[in-house]
């Protein structure tokens, strides 16, 4: 009798987990990272998965390390998935495909250093924010561009569909060069093809550290908040994610993840 009750409870718990996780295993495309492929192969067929859409070109939030997607967002997603009792699968795609992946149900959530904007809120819900960011300007050492005002009439590189792209449009007479990856814009700057790059502050620091001859301007462009994008009709997942994020903030896990990737200044 007791045993029967226990197994009933187990079935109920599994059903609940399946609701929260989305159970996208059959529809998920082949994962990009080798490691995920192994994980998927090992997972029991009926294990509910939570699919994260990201663009793994955005250190320290998401990037490849030895074929595996790592970073602040990847670790936060893993911690949230664990709390929800789901297996995390990360799908790497172009940044401007993430919202569509979420609204179409191809992914359960988008987590990609994504800024909460009014425009995106028309298509998706955002979780509580987990990080603060700014848009900053990278220029070549010795450039005569010393502030945002000097960008007028210049060639500015951005990553397609990002807030940097949107803000660049507000600059008078600017020529915007759009790249699929942030580091492609940085490369073009290194090669002297463009005059500046507008990009989020933490990736900017990584790119400047990795590429000689580039500097960050002190003046920041905007203040922004990052959050997880979730389909508007999936309020169940939104609530569970917010509860998980609150717990991870409360017990210090979130800060420990950030500290692992961003050295205190
Ligand atoms: N925070 C920026 C945005 O949301 C850039 C994000 C990214 O390139 N991954 O548009």
């Amino acid at each position: 009798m007791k045993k029967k009750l226990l197994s009933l409870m187990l079935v109920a718990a599994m059903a609940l987990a399946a609701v929260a996780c989305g159970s996208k295993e059959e529809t998920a495309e082949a994962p990009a990272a080798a490691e995920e492929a192994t994980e998927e192969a090992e997972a029991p067929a009926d294990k509910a998965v939570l699919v994260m859409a990201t663009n793994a070109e955005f250190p320290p939030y998401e990037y490849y390390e030895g074929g595996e997607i790592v970073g602040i967002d990847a670790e936060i997603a893993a911690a949230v998935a664990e709390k929800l009792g789901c297996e995390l699968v990360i799908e790497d795609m172009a940044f401007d495909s993430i919202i569509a992946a979420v609204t179409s149900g191809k992914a359960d959530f988008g987590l990609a250093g994504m800024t909460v904007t009014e425009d995106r809120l028309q298509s998706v819900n955002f979780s509580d924010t987990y990080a603060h960011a700014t848009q900053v300007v990278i220029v070549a050492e010795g450039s005569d561009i010393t502030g945002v005002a000097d960008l007028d009439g210049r060639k500015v590189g951005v990553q397609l569909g990002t807030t940097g792209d949107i803000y660049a449009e507000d600059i008078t007479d600017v020529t915007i060069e759009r790249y699929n990856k942030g580091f492609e814009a940085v490369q073009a700057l290194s090669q002297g093809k463009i005059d500046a790059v507008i990009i989020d502050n933490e990736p900017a620091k990584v790119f400047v550290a990795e590429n000689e001859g580039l500097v960050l301007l002190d003046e920041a462009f905007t203040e922004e908040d990052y959050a997880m994008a979730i389909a508007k009709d999936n309020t169940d997942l939104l609530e569970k994610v917010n509860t998980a994020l609150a717990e991870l903030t409360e017990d210090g896990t979130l800060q420990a993840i950030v500290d692992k990737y961003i050295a205190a200044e």
Side-chain angles (χ1 to χ4, degrees), residues 60-61 63 65 70-72 75 202 256-263:
Y61 291 95
Y63 57 101
E65 205 172 77
V70 298
I72 294 170
E75 291 210 20
E202 289 301 337
I257 293 172
V258 171
D259 292 346
K260 186 175 157 188
Y261 289 93
I262 301 176

Side-chain angles (χ1 to χ4, degrees), residues 55 58 62 95 112-115 120 135 159 161-163 200 224 226:
N55 173 239
F58 201 67
E62 42 268 324
F95 182 77
M114 188 179 279
T115 304
R120 291 171 183 161
Q135 292 296 309
Q159 188 184 356
T162 61
T163 44
D200 300 48
E224 309 186 344
Y226 290 167

Side-chain angles (χ1 to χ4, degrees), residues 128-199:
D128 294 334
T129 68
Y130 65 92
H132 185 71
T134 58
Q135 292 296 309
V136 294
V137 182
I138 309 176
V139 294
E141 238 162 30
S143 165
D144 59 354
I145 299 170
T146 57
V148 169
D150 297 332
L151 292 173
D152 277 5
R154 298 305 186 98
K155 248 189 191 173
V156 173
V158 296
Q159 188 184 356
L160 178 72
T162 61
T163 44
D165 186 356
I166 296 160
Y167 293 122
E169 285 178 356
D170 292 340
I171 307 168
T172 331
D173 290 337
V174 82
T175 307
I176 307 174
E177 298 287 338
R178 296 181 171 87
Y179 300 86
N180 278 320
K181 300 170 183 180
F183 86 82
E184 288 172 353
V186 173
Q187 248 171 2
L189 177 63
S190 286
Q191 293 161 357
K193 292 180 183 160
I194 53 175
D195 301 308
V197 171
I198 301 176
I199 195 163

